[in-house]
């Protein structure tokens, strides 16, 4: 029978009947005959930080041999503000071999993922993660996900407040259910630092309509791409003091190829609140979403769709009504800038931090580059704190000058390229995991991205564009996990070997790119890009990024705030304009 479009989605029912996220997870974990979960538990384990996956490379072969899928689990560890101690990192490094596929995956949201954990190891892996005082709770699921903060470990009071606020939001919106501890650590709450309960005072039995993402940063540093989230706080600085937060709501990058009413969108400006009201402001936004978000159609359930249906003014009115504190108008702030914080920086207390670029966030040892060995050695020898960045890389902090030299030495010994030797094309690139673990992938991403970057890198060098700072991002489907739509240049998977090409975002992450060329075969990528890149090389102004050049060519007065991916590609519109500008 067809589903009534006004009735709650199946997942709402699973949540409601789950006894606060228990379902039959325990029974399945105890059953040695079962190597995977069925539909309702499969949705519930997400709240516990896990996705059931299967090795997609093996599907065909196994099917031909009459075998079922090769099931395994991805585990995501939520790390507010990306901050890890050296010993926590070393625990994760050990677990990567003991339970996972020998790699650690740093995510675009400052979290860490393991892939390839088999069901029989799931409970022990989660137990050990908790023993390290880390958690997978709410890393996935219909809740507030990992809360981000600019990665720069600067030791001034402004950055301290940013980090503390991110931690406070994470604690405030963390689910209260005891189920997590009962299931994974035999109810041993003392193994964890978190408060639990057997009720959900904020979320209630059905939690949020879907995921909810939040981040905190300051006006001069959009390292975390804050305009892409459901809710964000941008610290407003006046006379070198943090005076309060500009509040954003309704950003989001997921969209579906086949659904015309899905879109990626830059967040809306909601207002300005006092410093001590930042956490409350995010909770109020989450509460409006909890109470009014779409629970019938999960494809329309994100906050951005609620704001679209409700209207921005109505949303703002509801926000002000629920805030039991003063909400002022948005404060004008300087255009955001972004720093990836790679390489060496002073941290403001006489010490330094050092950012290490990890290609696509995959910490592994390859034949040539011993990235995992190098990072382990640095953490072991120097015992320094680590920050996972929003660009899938990491930072070692609290180093003295001699330790910085030692970090560089260890990296070089293990063949890890130092940031100054990387091309801009590679340094600012990101790709999502995609095949073979992601069940939603329709095209390759992480596995082919390094090679694609090499070809773009060569083209840029040939055109004299190596100095251009350019974000190049790639995903294996339109869901937007590597935030493609805010990049200068992006490839978004359509089907194997075929990508939509987006152009026109920028490093600052504050506008959407355009669909530039549709359904481009990977072999035709450079040919499609060359006219634009050639004109960019000839006609760019000093310091002008590719996205900015593209926008100037199109004479856009207002930045694009929304993209559906179903627009008419701009390729044919752009070419004559390039000639008008003087391209040869
Ligand atoms: Fe994502 C689903 C990986 C950041 C939008 N994302 C997935 C899943 C879990 C696939 C699935 O549902 O079965 C992917 C797991 C792949 C794997 O094998 O590991 C996955 N997403 C990732 C990560 C690991 C990409 C990365 O390269 O680091 C990022 C983990 C973040 C974290 O630590 O929490 C990741 N995902 C994002 C972002 C970027 C961001 O938040 O800054 C987005 C776009 C922003 C947004 O949410 O709008 C994003 N992921 C999605 C969506 C589309 C959601 C939507 O409402 O439209 C899905 C699909 C879904 O939820 O149904 C998705
Ligand atoms: Fe998977 Fe698509 Fe996200 Fe890539 S963008 S990880 S293919 S859901």
């Amino acid at each position: 029978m067809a589903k009534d479009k006004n009735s709650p989605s199946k997942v709402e029912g699973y949540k409601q009947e789950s006894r606060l996220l228990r379902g039959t997870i325990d029974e399945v974990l105890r059953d040695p005959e079962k190597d995977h979960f069925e539909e309702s538990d499969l949705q519930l384990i997400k709240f516990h930080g896990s996705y059931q996956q299967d090795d997609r490379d093996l599907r065909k072969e196994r099917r031909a041999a009459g075998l079922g899928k090769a099931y395994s689990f991805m585990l995501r560890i939520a790390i507010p503000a990306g901050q890890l101690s050296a010993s926590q990192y070393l625990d994760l490094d050990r677990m990567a071999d003991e339970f996972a596929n020998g790699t650690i995956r740093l995510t675009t949201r400052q979290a860490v993922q393991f892939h390839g954990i088999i069901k029989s190891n799931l409970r022990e892996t989660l137990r050990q993660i908790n023993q390290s005082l880390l958690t997978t709770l709410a890393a996935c699921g219909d809740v507030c996900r990992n809360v981000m903060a600019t990665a720069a470990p600067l030791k001034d009071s402004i950055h301290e407040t940013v980090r503390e606020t991110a931690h406070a939001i994470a604690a405030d919106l963390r689910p209260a259910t005891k189920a997590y501890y009962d299931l994974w650590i035999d109810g041993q709450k003392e193994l964890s630092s978190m408060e639990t309960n057997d009720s959900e005072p904020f979320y209630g039995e059905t939690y949020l309509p879907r995921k909810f993402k939040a981040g905190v940063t300051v006006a001069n540093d959009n390292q975390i791409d804050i305009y892409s989230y459901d809710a964000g706080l941008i610290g407003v600085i006046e006379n070198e003091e943090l005076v309060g937060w500009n509040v954003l709501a309704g950003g989001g990058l997921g969209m579906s190829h086949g659904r015309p009413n899905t879109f990626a969108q830059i967040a809306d400006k909601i207002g300005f609140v006092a410093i001590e009201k930042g956490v409350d402001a995010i909770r109020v936004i989450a509460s409006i979403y909890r109470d009014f978000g779409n629970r019938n159609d999960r494809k329309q359930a994100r906050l951005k769709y609620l704001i679209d249906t409700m209207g921005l003014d109505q949303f703002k009115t509801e926000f002000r009504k629920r805030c039991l504190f003063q909400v002022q108008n948005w404060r004008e702030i300087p255009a955001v800038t972004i720093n990836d914080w790679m390489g060496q920086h002073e941290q403001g207390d006489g010490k330094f931090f050092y950012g290490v670029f990890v290609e696509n966030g995959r910490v592994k040892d390859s034949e040539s580059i011993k990235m995992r060995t190098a990072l382990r050695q640095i953490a072991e020898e120097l015992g320094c704190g680590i920050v996972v960045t929003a660009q899938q890389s990491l930072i070692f902090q609290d180093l003295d000058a001699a330790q910085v030299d030692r970090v560089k030495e260890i990296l070089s010994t293990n063949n890890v390229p130092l940031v100054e030797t990387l091309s801009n094309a590679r340094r600012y690139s990101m790709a999502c995991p995609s095949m073979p673990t992601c069940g939603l992938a329709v095209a390759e991403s992480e596995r082919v991205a390094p090679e694609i970057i090499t070809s773009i890198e060569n083209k840029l060098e040939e055109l004299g564009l190596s100095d251009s700072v350019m974000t190049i991002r790639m995903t294996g489907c339109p869901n937007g996990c590597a935030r493609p739509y805010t990049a200068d240049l992006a490839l978004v998977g359509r089907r194997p070997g075929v990508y939509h090409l987006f152009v026109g975002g920028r490093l600052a992450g504050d506008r959407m790119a355009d669909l530039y060329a549709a359904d481009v075969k990977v072999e035709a990528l450079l040919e499609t890009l060359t006219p634009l890149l050639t004109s960019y090389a000839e006609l760019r102004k000093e310091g002008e990024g590719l996205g900015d050049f593209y926008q100037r060519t199109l004479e856009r007065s207002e930045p694009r705030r929304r993209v559906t991916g179903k627009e008419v590609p701009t390729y044919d519109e752009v070419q004559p304009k390039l000639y008008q500008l003087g391209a040869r």
Side-chain angles (χ1 to χ4, degrees):
M1 205 169 69
K3 180 184 167 297
D4 173 359
K5 70 181 179 28
N6 296 318
S7 64
S9 70
K10 267 198 292 192
V11 180
E12 289 300 312
Y14 300 151
K15 289 186 277 186
Q16 181 125 43
E17 287 155 21
S18 73
R19 294 169 297 121
L20 300 182
L21 308 181
R22 286 178 172 81
T24 56
I25 297 174
D26 190 45
E27 288 87 316
V28 179
L29 284 173
R30 283 173 197 279
D31 187 342
E33 300 293 310
K34 292 196 172 144
D35 62 357
H36 68 282
F37 293 91
E38 301 299 340
E39 178 60 18
S40 58
D41 289 334
L42 199 145
Q43 295 299 333
L44 298 175
I45 59 164
K46 295 182 185 174
F47 292 76
H48 298 264
S50 185
Y51 273 76
Q52 181 166 297
Q53 302 184 320
D54 71 289
D55 187 333
R56 296 186 56 186
D57 285 345
L58 300 180
R59 271 188 195 173
K60 221 168 156 185
E61 194 184 305
R62 287 180 68 93
R63 209 179 300 128
L67 295 168
K69 289 176 176 173
Y71 287 108
S72 69
F73 293 83
M74 177 267 268
L75 265 185
R76 187 180 291 162
I77 299 148
I79 307 171
Q83 292 175 292
L84 280 173
S85 68
S87 76
Q88 285 173 329
Y89 181 82
L90 291 170
D91 284 343
L92 295 176
D93 181 75
R94 176 185 49 75
M95 283 184 244
D97 278 338
E98 223 166 294
F99 303 117
N101 65 356
T103 72
I104 294 174
R105 180 57 159 70
L106 310 175
T107 78
T108 52
R109 304 200 74 249
Q110 298 182 290
V112 163
Q113 283 185 187
F114 287 139
H115 290 102
I117 300 173
I118 54 170
K119 200 207 89 190
S120 54
N121 278 337
L122 207 47
R123 185 125 56 185
E124 185 53 22
T125 317
L126 263 124
R127 220 182 98 80
Q128 294 198 16
I129 288 169
N130 278 270
Q131 257 168 347
S132 300
L133 297 184
L134 291 167
T135 188
T136 60
L137 176 63
C140 320
D142 298 347
V143 286
C144 178
R145 302 284 186 94
N146 193 35
V147 183
M148 300 176 68
T150 177
L154 295 167
K155 300 292 155 124
D156 53 71
S157 67
I158 294 177
H159 285 84
E160 294 291 356
T161 309
V162 165
R163 287 188 287 270
E164 278 165 16
T165 306
H167 280 276
I169 296 168
D172 189 59
L173 290 180
R174 191 171 284 135
T177 177
K178 235 168 108 278
Y180 184 78
Y181 306 95
D182 291 345
L183 277 172
W184 308 106
I185 45 182
D186 300 330
Q188 288 174 273
K189 211 162 114 177
E190 59 281 7
L191 273 184
S192 160
S193 54
M194 293 176 303
E195 278 300 306
T196 58
N197 209 322
D198 222 7
S199 65
E200 286 290 4
F202 175 78
Y203 287 118
E205 283 181 337
T206 49
Y207 294 82
L208 295 177
R210 280 215 65 195
K211 57 180 88 169
F212 180 81
K213 296 180 172 177
V216 189
T217 193
V218 276
N220 56 3
D221 181 4
N222 191 21
Q223 202 255 338
I224 60 170
D225 254 347
I226 196 158
Y227 295 97
S228 307
Y229 306 147
D230 297 275
L233 300 176
I234 304 183
V236 178
I237 302 169
E238 285 171 11
N239 301 321
E240 295 180 22
E241 299 248 332
L242 187 64
V243 294
W245 307 107
N246 270 341
V247 181
L248 289 164
L253 299 187
M255 57 161 107
S256 307
H257 285 314
R259 297 190 181 229
N261 58 349
T262 60
F263 51 79
Q265 179 165 284
I266 290 291
D268 286 303
K269 297 171 179 174
I270 303 300
F272 173 89
V273 300
I275 299 170
E276 61 283 5
K277 297 300 176 198
V279 180
D280 295 335
I282 300 295
R283 191 188 323 107
V284 166
I285 293 172
S287 77
I288 302 174
Y289 177 46
R290 176 197 62 199
D291 298 343
F292 297 111
N294 187 330
R295 291 187 185 259
N296 307 332
D297 176 0
R298 287 180 68 80
K299 289 282 175 202
Q300 287 292 305
R302 293 293 292 273
L303 180 67
K304 61 187 172 184
Y305 300 120
L306 172 64
I307 297 182
D308 195 47
T309 348
M310 214 175 178
L312 181 60
D313 288 343
Q314 173 78 28
F315 179 83
K316 281 185 178 171
T317 307
E318 186 65 28
F319 176 73
R320 282 172 187 260
K321 195 173 94 192
R322 290 186 182 213
C323 287
L324 304 172
F325 48 87
Q326 206 192 10
V327 180
Q328 297 174 26
N329 290 337
W330 173 272
R331 296 264 174 106
E332 279 320 309
I333 47 176
V336 280
T337 51
I338 176 164
N339 192 331
D340 63 354
W341 301 111
M342 293 293 96
Q344 179 175 346
H345 301 265
E346 286 183 17
Q347 62 183 33
D349 58 355
K351 298 223 167 181
F352 298 92
F353 64 88
Y354 191 90
V356 182
F357 171 79
V358 180
E359 188 154 32
N360 304 322
R362 188 66 69 174
V363 182
K364 63 174 185 194
D365 281 351
S366 68
E367 291 270 298
S368 51
I369 300 175
K370 306 285 177 220
M371 174 66 80
R372 210 180 130 204
T373 304
L375 299 185
R376 183 193 313 124
Q377 209 178 329
I378 295 168
E380 259 166 7
E381 198 177 308
L382 304 179
C384 47
I386 287 170
V387 192
V388 181
T389 78
Q391 276 86 34
Q392 309 171 317
S393 288
L394 57 75
I395 289 170
F396 289 104
Q397 60 173 328
D398 300 326
L399 306 166
D400 60 31
Q403 288 174 318
V404 171
D405 290 343
R406 184 64 188 136
V407 168
K408 289 194 206 166
E409 196 179 18
I410 295 173
L411 293 173
S412 301
T413 316
N414 288 289
N415 240 350
V416 176
L418 300 185
V419 70
E420 51 274 21
T421 66
L422 291 168
S423 69
N424 282 327
R426 197 170 303 274
R427 173 174 173 171
Y428 295 97
S429 68
M430 295 206 285
C432 73
S434 191
M435 297 289 283
T437 52
C438 179
L440 305 177
V442 293
E444 291 282 349
S445 181
E446 184 187 315
R447 294 199 292 200
V448 302
E451 216 178 300
I452 289 178
I453 295 293
T454 304
S455 67
I456 298 177
E457 210 170 45
N458 292 340
K459 179 52 94 183
L460 294 176
E461 197 176 334
E462 181 193 314
L463 294 171
L465 285 169
S466 301
D467 63 321
S468 170
V469 171
M470 190 184 291
T471 39
I472 306 176
R473 296 179 181 170
M474 181 165 190
T475 56
C477 87
N479 279 321
C481 297
R483 296 190 290 271
Y485 312 114
T486 52
D488 287 271
L489 175 61
L491 286 82
V492 173
R494 290 277 290 162
R495 52 186 183 276
V498 177
Y499 297 84
H500 269 357
L501 256 185
F502 286 83
V503 179
R506 61 174 162 182
L507 207 55
D510 57 355
R511 70 171 179 232
M512 284 288 158
D514 286 344
L515 175 61
Y516 176 66
D519 295 316
V520 178
K521 287 196 177 132
V522 78
E523 311 81 75
L525 173 69
L526 284 188
E527 190 192 316
T528 312
L529 278 177
T530 297
L532 177 66
L533 292 178
T534 310
S535 311
Y536 172 52
E538 286 168 6
L539 303 169
R540 68 182 165 151
K541 293 182 179 164
E542 204 187 325
E544 189 175 39
L546 176 67
D548 288 339
F549 169 75
Y550 169 89
Q551 299 288 344
R552 178 161 65 86
T553 305
L554 280 181
E555 298 167 288
R556 280 264 166 75
S557 51
E558 281 293 309
R560 175 187 278 284
R561 296 198 55 254
R562 182 181 285 187
V563 63
T564 64
K566 288 108 202 157
E567 292 88 2
V568 177
T570 57
Y571 185 90
D572 289 336
E573 183 189 349
V574 170
Q575 304 315 310
K577 297 219 178 229
L578 289 173
Y579 287 111
Q580 270 169 28
L581 261 187
R584 276 177 278 139

